[in-house]
Amino acid sequence: MKKVLFAAAEAVPFIKTGGLADVAGSLPFAFPPEDWDVRVMLPAYTCIPAPWQEAMRDVTHFDVWFNGKYRYLGVRELTHRGLHFYFIDNEEYFGGPAPYTDYMYDIEKFCFFSFAVLAVLPHLDFRPDIIHCHDWHTGLIPPYLATQFKYDPFFADMKTVFTIHNLKFQGICGRDELRSISGLPAELFAQGPLCSGSCGNMMQGALHYADAVTTVSQTYAKEICTPEYGEGLDRFFAERRDRFWGIVNGIDDSVFDPATDPALKRHYDVSRVKSGKAAAKASLQKELGLDQDPDVFLLGIVSRLTDQKGMDLVLPLLEKLTGGPCQLVVLGTGEKHYEESFRLMAGARPNKMAVVTTYDEPLSHRIYAGTDAFLMPSRFEPCGLSQLIALRYGSLPIVRATGGLKDTVRSLDKEGLNATGFVFEDYDVGGLNWAIELAMKTFFGGKKTWEQMRRNAMREDFSWKRSAVEYSKLYEQLIE
Ligand code: ADP
């Protein structure tokens, strides 16, 4: 039995502020339990809901020397759906109303978390072969393992994998502050692995010391080796290109399933897609006050309304998308000028366009089900979940060829009848317009091609199992 410990700052169902929680709380369940013992370690935030707190039992506690004094370090544990979850307990660091609080204090608390993950391991009845670290919060685990902990035979041959979910946040602070808080050896900071100039950088430490680094799609793994996408770390990615993997995320196929989705009035699967989608379209048009016309081309957007998501390319095309035989539905929150521009157009053409600027999970499911096509013209996209959900619900994605979008949508112009969507290359309005034109031509001109593409889309496998197979190949390479 091979053993893997996930270390992360958040995981569903205990604590979630973003997509990291979905990965850390879903992926561990996708490994076959007869081959892999995967466990998860999180901070024991006091803001974790009470029923979970009550289910935890204390495993052990002791004091450790960290950042200038002895501090309490406890481990708590619970079993959820058959998996072990450990929680690093220290109320001083993990108290408060939210997991992240003050930026500088967050740096200190996740230095402590990285240190604590290793410090508690010899006290558990679980010795992982691999520690799989997620995002900057766990960035110091590989450097600690390579320095302070390497002399303890318990840690001999233990390997680390570091996965980047969000490159925007790297755990950057002053070099001297990071050195003093972490207690890591001074030579790591003399223009060494943990700093650039006067800045300390926790993620950079992981890139240097982890045995393997991954990110959430193959294309994004290549893109971040360039200055345009690398957020200042492109040099480090490029240097370790040979040990750099791209593994696409999954979606929970029991939650995102048009055959059982409680948000839908009428369920469908690939064998009943035509009638199922028609019913979902009629019901969405009714719910949002659009003309109830089965023959229009109904496009959807469910997104943060930001530049990253390509909203600046959508605005100039609003006339087109709400004129003629098209309708547009937008669900999203974000930058005010986008919210206002969308609202203005929807106000002028309420029978052709609807905008909802709240976060509404059930409505998002009805949009994936009720639309013919889904717009996602992102400037960059590490993986992207929305296009995976759209595929599963038979709404054909119109996407830009970047990151995970490029890796998960097969374009009609290149793939013919194997296609699942429409993909444009250059980040400009002309490119998006070209892809929308192609989608419309296919929708109105050749129903057979459209229906074939829709079946292809719904048959794609983006379950977590598929991601787990890729991660297990990586783990096996490291362990052998
Ligand atoms: P990102 O994490 O960069 O925002 P992703 O495509 O990876 O983009 O994930 C976005 C997720 O959030 C999708 O599941 C999408 O359906 C959901 N989502 C985004 N905005 C809303 C909203 N306003 N209401 C409901 N769900 C939303």
Side-chain angles (χ1 to χ4, degrees):
M1 178 81 89
K2 289 155 277 192
K3 301 191 180 106
V4 180
L5 180 72
F6 273 43
E10 43 184 279
V12 291
F14 310 105
I15 189 90
K16 171 171 174 170
T17 71
L20 168 62
D22 292 310
V23 182
S26 308
L27 176 58
F29 291 96
F31 292 87
E34 58 281 11
D35 297 326
W36 297 93
D37 183 353
V38 183
R39 305 188 183 192
V40 183
M41 199 171 271
L42 303 163
Y45 304 110
T46 55
C47 60
I48 290 175
W52 294 120
Q53 305 267 5
E54 283 151 21
M56 293 176 195
R57 63 177 189 85
D58 291 321
V59 180
T60 183
H61 64 88
F62 48 92
D63 285 350
V64 285
W65 181 261
F66 184 82
N67 193 19
K69 66 175 188 181
Y70 279 103
R71 293 168 196 266
Y72 178 87
L73 171 52
V75 192
R76 310 182 74 199
E77 180 191 22
L78 62 74
T79 309
H80 169 57
R81 290 172 49 206
L83 283 200
H84 286 269
F85 288 80
Y86 297 105
F87 297 85
I88 297 291
D89 190 15
N90 176 300
E91 274 197 28
E92 194 185 336
Y93 284 132
F94 305 124
Y100 313 117
T101 43
D102 168 75
Y103 184 75
M104 208 43 227
Y105 199 51
D106 287 347
I107 296 266
E108 179 174 339
K109 74 170 86 145
F110 290 110
C111 285
F112 176 76
F113 179 65
S114 295
F115 174 82
V117 166
L118 295 170
V120 299
L121 281 181
H123 303 267
L124 306 179
D125 56 356
F126 179 69
R127 185 196 173 280
D129 302 296
I130 290 181
I131 306 179
H132 189 156
C133 313
H134 296 269
D135 267 352
W136 73 269
H137 321 92
T138 56
L140 291 195
I141 293 176
Y144 276 128
L145 186 60
T147 55
Q148 292 189 7
F149 289 85
K150 79 169 172 185
Y151 303 104
D152 182 341
F154 175 86
F155 292 98
D157 295 331
M158 202 175 280
K159 300 287 196 274
T160 50
V161 174
F162 182 75
T163 295
I164 298 159
H165 302 270
N166 191 340
L167 188 51
K168 279 250 174 267
F169 301 99
Q170 299 174 8
I172 296 176
C173 63
R175 178 188 60 188
D176 297 337
E177 280 147 315
L178 188 59
R179 189 182 65 193
S180 134
I181 294 169
S182 67
L184 281 162
E187 61 267 25
L188 272 59
F189 294 88
Q191 292 317 315
L194 267 108
C195 66
S196 302
S198 58
C199 284
N201 184 323
M202 292 170 67
M203 187 182 277
Q204 197 177 308
L207 300 184
H208 191 90
Y209 286 107
D211 295 291
V213 177
T214 79
T215 187
V216 286
S217 68
Q218 286 185 359
T219 296
Y220 191 63
K222 286 190 200 117
E223 285 171 344
I224 62 180
C225 296
T226 66
E228 190 187 347
Y229 293 90
E231 297 285 341
L233 291 177
D234 43 289
R235 186 163 61 85
F236 296 89
F237 295 125
E239 269 168 19
R240 56 176 312 159
R241 213 179 283 248
D242 55 326
R243 289 172 296 161
F244 196 26
W245 291 52
I247 299 177
V248 167
N249 283 336
I251 50 174
D252 187 331
D253 49 8
S254 62
V255 173
F256 296 106
D257 184 357
T260 56
D261 191 332
L264 305 186
K265 279 205 196 91
R266 191 162 146 193
H267 295 131
Y268 61 95
D269 58 17
V270 72
S271 68
R272 290 170 290 157
V273 56
K274 215 167 154 184
S275 57
K277 290 283 292 180
K281 183 172 181 175
S283 132
L284 183 68
Q285 286 171 327
K286 186 163 178 218
E287 178 177 358
L288 297 177
L290 300 171
D291 286 341
Q292 287 180 56
D293 180 349
D295 298 322
V296 292
F297 184 47
L298 179 50
L299 284 145
I301 293 177
V302 178
S303 178
R304 288 184 288 117
L305 303 179
T306 63
D307 290 343
Q308 183 211 324
K309 297 293 179 181
M311 291 303 130
D312 52 329
L313 300 188
V314 176
L315 288 190
L317 295 174
L318 279 186
E319 285 277 345
K320 176 195 188 104
L321 296 174
T322 58
C326 294
Q327 292 177 347
L328 175 66
V329 172
V330 179
L331 170 63
T333 55
E335 290 167 26
K336 288 287 160 263
H337 71 106
Y338 288 128
E339 291 191 4
E340 273 156 26
S341 306
F342 284 133
R343 264 200 230 107
L344 212 64
M345 185 55 107
R349 295 180 174 170
N351 55 333
K352 297 288 229 162
M353 177 171 175
V355 175
V356 180
T357 51
T358 56
Y359 194 93
D360 188 334
E361 184 79 32
L363 175 58
S364 75
H365 290 218
R366 291 195 288 279
I367 293 175
Y368 290 115
T371 48
D372 298 301
F374 189 82
L375 277 182
M376 200 164 169
S378 304
R379 188 181 289 270
F380 69 92
E381 196 63 72
C383 176
L385 289 181
S386 304
Q387 86 280 14
L388 304 183
I389 306 170
L391 287 165
R392 183 128 169 90
Y393 283 71
S395 180
L396 299 186
I398 299 174
V399 302
R400 179 167 170 254
T402 185
L405 298 176
K406 184 171 177 178
D407 295 354
T408 56
V409 181
R410 294 195 301 275
S411 191
L412 178 64
D413 58 317
K414 298 206 172 101
E415 300 275 346
L417 284 178
N418 280 328
T420 56
F422 307 90
V423 185
F424 66 100
E425 296 287 332
D426 293 335
Y427 190 82
D428 55 36
V429 179
L432 175 57
N433 188 45
W434 170 85
I436 293 171
E437 289 276 337
L438 181 60
M440 286 174 69
K441 217 168 94 197
T442 315
F443 181 79
F444 290 113
K447 279 274 182 277
K448 280 227 151 30
T449 308
W450 190 270
E451 282 161 18
Q452 177 65 44
M453 287 176 69
R454 202 157 60 179
R455 283 194 297 272
N456 296 345
M458 290 185 71
R459 286 197 181 112
E460 290 290 281
D461 175 8
F462 288 112
S463 64
W464 281 111
K465 278 209 171 62
R466 182 181 134 139
S467 316
V469 168
E470 295 303 310
Y471 281 110
S472 35
K473 284 185 202 155
L474 167 61
Y475 298 157
E476 268 159 4
Q477 276 195 15
L478 296 179
I479 296 171
E480 274 158 13

